[in-house]
Amino acid sequence: MTGRRDRDILAHMTRLFSNLSRFLASFFAILTIFAGLGVWHLSSVTLSSQNWTPYIEYVFEEIVPDSDASIAKSSLDWDHNEYTLSLLCEGIELRDARKQTVVSFPKASLKINVWSLLRGHFVPEEFIADEGRFWLMRHKNDALSLGTVPPAKQEGEKQDKPDGKVVDAFGMLQNLADDLADDRFSHKISIKNLSVKLYDEETRRLWQLSLPGLKLDHDGRKSTGNANVIIQDGAKETSALQLTYDHDYEKRHHNIGFSFQDIRLASLSIFAPNLTFLSMVDLPVSGAFLVRSDRNLNLVTTDVKLEGA
């Protein structure tokens, strides 16, 4: 019993020191920006300097855990009334342990609230971007990470294992979901022409998802989102889904819905690794999926409605 109690205390202390270190890192990053800018006196001056880029890269690395961020160019505005940093970044890239690009944006504008940062919340108040690129990999254990297709090997060679930690895509989504469930914050996310490549390690298939427009709005106790999703399996014909999101603050559930009309059943296997047999069923179907999860994105319930085939 004593050994178990000691392990529980050790785990608790480890989490405490981990959270404390993250807070201190955030605090000193913001404090350094304040000191360097003389921020209390700057209300309308735009600064363009590589001196601040490492701190902006740090914010991106906190949004996407275990990634390595680089920004080619950045400029910064300070609003001393709203306590927000407005950032314009160019050449944004996030890389994994193999130094492969897993997220990229040619240009993005962000607004970050300083008080949110000091509380450990790194999701920007506003994020507006175009031509975003994400590379995802679904592993054989159903884990989802940011990563590129493994390099092809000659016959008889063993497949390389990733070096170091993988970039946890689920951790990134949990960071976002946690902020959307907090009525103290507000967010506006808008991405045009988003492209997502998803490699399935089990089936060795490469899916491409195109989102002409992704919007997510959060204001206090109201969170909504929507997107059109075009799915392409290699060179095969495409299928289209409509994606919707809302947050139930009474039940503390994230509600994610997919609706579709006359799509091929094979397209649905991208969302259900255990239903790969659907790829052999070439029939059109219409319907909707509704997935409910708790604040940490643990599955609560699912609803499925199908018509047609």
Side-chain angles (χ1 to χ4, degrees), residues 10 12 33 54 60 103-104 122 160 176 205 211 230 255 280:
L10 181 60
H12 177 75
I33 293 176
F60 276 98
V103 178
S104 70
F122 293 88
D160 284 345
L176 177 60
R205 295 168 69 183
L211 288 75
I230 301 171
N255 301 319
M280 298 181 291

Side-chain angles (χ1 to χ4, degrees), residues 138-203:
R138 186 165 62 200
H139 300 274
K140 293 181 179 180
N141 62 356
D142 291 342
L144 189 66
S145 69
L146 288 163
T148 56
V149 179
K153 292 294 179 182
Q154 299 295 326
E155 186 176 354
E157 286 188 302
K158 293 183 178 180
Q159 181 68 47
D160 284 345
K161 294 183 178 179
D163 298 324
K165 292 183 178 179
V166 297
V167 182
D168 182 14
F170 191 69
M172 176 186 67
L173 295 174
Q174 282 183 316
N175 288 342
L176 177 60
D178 188 61
D179 274 18
L180 292 175
D182 197 323
D183 58 10
R184 297 174 298 173
F185 305 119
S186 62
H187 301 90
K188 178 182 179 181
I189 298 174
S190 177
I191 304 176
K192 294 181 179 179
N193 302 317
L194 176 62
S195 174
V196 179
K197 290 186 177 180
L198 173 61
Y199 177 73
D200 192 312
E201 197 174 50
E202 179 71 30
T203 62

Side-chain angles (χ1 to χ4, degrees), residues 94-111:
L94 280 77
R95 299 182 178 89
D96 61 11
R98 293 189 294 123
K99 306 300 180 183
Q100 299 294 315
T101 300
V102 294
V103 178
S104 70
F105 290 97
K107 182 183 292 186
S109 63
L110 304 83
K111 286 185 179 179

Side-chain angles (χ1 to χ4, degrees), residues 201-264:
E201 197 174 50
E202 179 71 30
T203 62
R204 297 185 180 180
R205 295 168 69 183
L206 180 65
W207 301 81
Q208 178 156 331
L209 284 69
S210 300
L211 288 75
L214 170 67
K215 291 185 177 180
L216 189 59
D217 293 300
H218 169 219
D219 186 8
R221 295 175 63 85
K222 183 178 181 181
S223 296
T224 59
N226 63 83
N228 291 326
V229 184
I230 301 171
I231 303 173
Q232 183 172 350
D233 178 10
K236 296 181 181 179
E237 65 179 89
T238 60
S239 301
L241 304 175
Q242 288 72 50
L243 171 66
T244 59
Y245 166 82
D246 70 85
H247 184 256
D248 187 334
Y249 281 87
E250 298 299 326
K251 296 181 179 180
R252 299 188 177 187
H253 287 169
H254 296 286
N255 301 319
I256 303 172
F258 300 91
S259 59
F260 44 89
Q261 186 171 4
D262 294 330
I263 72 169
R264 319 308 292 184

